[in-house]
Amino acid sequence: MATRQRRAWPSDPPAPTSSTAYTKLDKPERSDGEDDRGLGWLLPLICLGMLRHMSATSNIIHDCDEVFNYWEPLHYLLYKSGFQTWEYSAQFGLRSYLYILLHKLVGQPASWWFGEEKVRVFYAVRIFLAVLSVISDAALVVALSRKYGKRLASYTLAMLCLASGCFFASTSFLPSSFSMYAMSLSSALFLFDKPAMAVSVAATGVILGWPFSVLAFLPLTIYSLVKSFKSVFLTGVVTSIILMVLSVLVDYSYYKRWTSSVINLLVYNVLGGGESHLYGTEGPSFYLRNGFNNFNFCFVLALLFLAILPFAKKKYVPELLIVVSPVYLWIFFMSLQPHKEERFLYPIYPLICVAASAVIESFPDLFRDKYNPNGTSVLVMIAKILRPIVLGLILCASHARTFSLINGYSAPIEIYKHLDYHDDAGAGSVLCVGSEWHRFPSSFFIPDYVGQVRWLDDGFTGLLPIPFNSSLGGTSAAPSYFNNKNKASEDQFLRDPEQCTLLIELQLQRPYPTRGSDMSTWEIVAALPYLDRELSPPMYRSFFIPYQWQHKNVFGQYRLLRRIQK
């Protein structure tokens, strides 16, 4: 006789099948009517807040472009003095003052509050950058938690907090960092199933931040358009038009001519033949080496994301694949360009953490039996144990990298702070900088008694920044000494070094003497250790290894000298 079975009711949950893995996406709703919403906002905000505050107060300046193209124009808007680059000449107009004005919203009140203490204004702006980073990264962590579970979100949170690349990029005053914030927030909104808002944030990151980052936002934008074309298209277009019009109006108010810095930058680098190769080129493997330095094994695991998809396809396709895909697209595209810099990878830094976390979280999936996915074999248990071990190794290596950079290369910022204690040099003092011009931390570190900061000719043949000339119109000036061919100007160097009152110099173990070596002319008023990159072994200078870092590396002295009065 056939066994009579009860007819299934509509409220009964579907019976599990043996061919599908059990994931967060398969969980039935809780009987009490509440669902598992994963990590809340509090933990990510607290953890990221503490680490980003540490970054804001201890981060070094990694690129002179950050100083001369962003800190100096901001200083000029606040204090009517600062260095100008050819990109800010009204003749070329490659940089938008709209991006600078965003930071002036914080810098202006800070300058009123702190008065002559300009260094405090510098750090107030950095705190503002840290807040932007905290909000965007916390949103990404919460979105991952609600979509894929607490484990993946927790791993990502740990890497966002401690990975060297994120630690340094999060508080850098650079458009690529702003695009990084937009990438985190846009990816979060995408995972929250808000495609229109995600594309709107992406457009903001491209237009207000870095126009070239549009390529990194393409996968998310295209998928969002396919998913909900009308709302996504209208929101993206309206946001783009508003920001472009606002950018043009702001540029007109400062350059005093109708122009668009966004279009000028794209034309110069893409359609105009581009001269970016004049400012340094690197080989195709540059970003792979740089990625490992800043993310160590996290970077290697991120590149393996595609390899784990056959084992974790149900969990990560298509949404997480769309979010992570810019890692591959961006590295491939940027590696083809001759001009390469570390900051060009900033927009995808958070995605590297997400991809690596997904790989670590999927370790057990590599060894599961497809006919018994919920089984606990020995290999699955070992894989589960390996997850915290691998994460711990990544975080330890990241801390070693961060510690090495901060302690090895923070002397330029710290030595300029000593100027505050030597105002007895007299009002109108002239501070001279030779070959160390590219480590100048900005005019925010120059006290009022210093009348001028001048460059000395130490053999550099390119075009250096020159102070904004208010008599020519300030931001609207188009000085004849600027050019877009990186050709040095006669006006960029101080012709008479005898006018120097103070001198900044790096003293290394080299067979040739420096200007400050003449102790009959100069006296050392401050000196700090600075890691000598050329004489230090790559492993020991890149990562802090206890009991070895101080002994294996070679250090020079970063000096502040004062001319001896005769």
Side-chain angles (χ1 to χ4, degrees), residues 474-485:
T475 59
S476 64
S480 59
Y481 43 72
F482 281 139
N483 62 83
N484 62 354
K485 305 297 182 183

Side-chain angles (χ1 to χ4, degrees), residues 529-548:
Y530 187 86
L531 198 150
D532 190 333
R533 184 180 183 277
E534 295 181 8
L535 298 183
S536 300
M539 177 61 71
Y540 294 101
R541 73 167 184 257
S542 297
F543 300 94
F544 175 78
I545 301 176
Y547 306 109
Q548 298 294 319

Side-chain angles (χ1 to χ4, degrees), residues 316-327:
Y316 299 146
V317 176
E319 284 85 359
L320 197 64
L321 176 60
I322 297 298
V323 169
V324 169
S325 59
V327 172

Side-chain angles (χ1 to χ4, degrees), residues 136-156:
S136 57
D137 285 347
L140 179 58
V141 170
V142 173
L144 288 170
S145 177
R146 295 183 182 180
K147 186 80 173 179
Y148 300 104
K150 293 182 180 180
R151 182 178 288 111
L152 175 59
S154 299
Y155 291 170
T156 303

Side-chain angles (χ1 to χ4, degrees), residues 397-455:
S398 297
H399 176 71
R401 171 69 173 174
T402 303
F403 184 94
S404 180
L405 290 183
I406 290 177
N407 288 274
Y409 301 105
S410 61
I413 281 185
E414 298 302 321
I415 204 70
Y416 276 86
K417 293 178 182 177
H418 283 265
L419 288 168
D420 284 330
Y421 307 110
H422 300 283
D423 54 355
D424 56 342
S429 295
V430 178
L431 173 64
C432 293
V433 185
S435 59
E436 287 301 297
W437 65 269
H438 60 289
R439 295 192 180 101
F440 176 65
S442 83
S443 298
F444 284 94
F445 291 82
I446 305 302
D448 290 340
Y449 75 87
V450 177
Q452 297 182 73
V453 177
R454 299 299 305 270
W455 313 131

Side-chain angles (χ1 to χ4, degrees), residues 285-314:
S285 65
F286 174 79
Y287 288 123
L288 296 179
R289 291 183 281 108
N290 187 265
F292 184 80
N293 281 339
N294 285 314
F295 289 92
N296 57 81
F297 299 106
C298 173
F299 184 71
V300 177
L301 291 174
L303 296 180
L304 294 175
F305 177 81
L306 290 180
I308 60 100
L309 284 184
F311 305 94
K313 185 176 181 180
K314 182 178 179 182

